[in-house]
Every structure is written in structure tokens, then in C-alpha cells.
Amino acid sequence: MAASRRRERRHVTAIAAVAATTALTTALLTGCDSVNTALDCVRTADSIADSVTALQQAVENAANDPTQTDASLDSIQQNLKKIGDQTDDADVNKAVDHLQQAVDNVRTAVKNGDSTPDVTPVTDAAGELTKVCTP
């Protein structure tokens, strides 16, 4: 199980790295406003990837400190709000909504007593968001 989570973390990190590289390359080819928006989206998506990794670790260590799961979920939601406030792109907003729903599902599972909720939908939705943030 731990190996699977490590692979998921590597997957999210790799997606974020590809998105950042693509956004920087695009900066050389497009206008400043769209590039700045794309870079903001990529930076925030990268922060979300970090938060997803923290969430995975928090779930693994829930017996030691159950508050870390809530803190990780809060961090993801704050970053989602940043992206939602910065864009009117339909695909980005759809990905934000998808990730928000996945976060809500994990939060509900935790509130219902699940100390090790499945965070795979959060990881998948974070990857989807990273893809749509890439211009």
C-alpha cells in the first residue's frame, strides 16, 4: 500500500513538473497576460500537488496526528479558491470543481470515522487540474 502511495506522489510531482515546463516554454511564444494567468494556475496547481502529497502522508500517519488530514484538506481548498478566483476558463473551473468534490468526499469520510480514506480520487483530480492549467 505504501509503494502505491509513493507512486501516486511521484505521479503528481511529475505532472506538476511537466506542467511548469510547458508553461515556461509557452511564455516565450504567447502574450504576457495569458502567460501570467497560466503561470499562476501552474504555481497554484503545484501547491495543490504538494498539498495532495501532504494529504497522503497525513492519511498514512492518521493514528499519530489526525489533525494533519484536515490541515491538508484545508490547504487544497485554499489553493482551489485561488485558482477559481483567477480564471474564467471553463476547463479549469471544471477541474477545480472535480477536485473540490474529491476533497469534500475525503473530508466526509474522515468525519464519518474513516481514519484511512481513499485519496486516489483527490490525486487523480489534482492531475486533471494540472493538465488543464497547462496552456
Side-chain angles (χ1 to χ4, degrees):
M1 191 70 153
S4 173
R5 288 188 176 141
R6 279 190 290 261
R7 278 193 303 274
E8 289 173 10
R9 275 185 247 150
R10 284 192 298 261
H11 179 72
V12 170
T13 301
I15 290 171
V18 168
T21 301
T22 302
L24 292 173
T25 301
T26 303
L28 300 172
L29 304 173
T30 61
C32 291
D33 287 341
S34 64
V35 171
N36 286 337
T37 301
L39 287 174
D40 287 343
C41 186
V42 168
R43 282 186 207 113
T44 305
D46 188 44
S47 294
I48 289 172
D50 291 342
S51 297
V52 169
T53 299
L55 174 62
Q56 291 168 328
Q57 292 169 348
V59 168
E60 289 173 14
N61 298 317
N64 298 332
D65 188 358
T67 63
Q68 289 304 308
T69 300
D70 278 336
S72 296
L73 292 169
D74 291 344
S75 176
I76 294 169
Q77 287 182 305
Q78 289 168 357
N79 285 314
L80 287 174
K81 183 170 176 9
K82 285 180 194 174
I83 291 176
D85 290 346
Q86 293 173 348
T87 187
D88 59 355
D89 183 280
D91 291 333
V92 172
N93 285 326
K94 181 180 175 184
V96 166
D97 291 344
H98 185 212
L99 182 51
Q100 181 61 55
Q101 183 60 51
V103 167
D104 289 345
N105 290 344
V106 170
R107 194 178 297 276
T108 299
V110 169
K111 284 182 182 176
N112 289 337
D114 187 350
S115 61
T116 57
D118 180 13
V119 297
T120 304
V122 174
T123 303
D124 293 346
E128 175 188 339
L129 178 61
T130 301
K131 286 178 188 175
V132 299
C133 280
T134 305

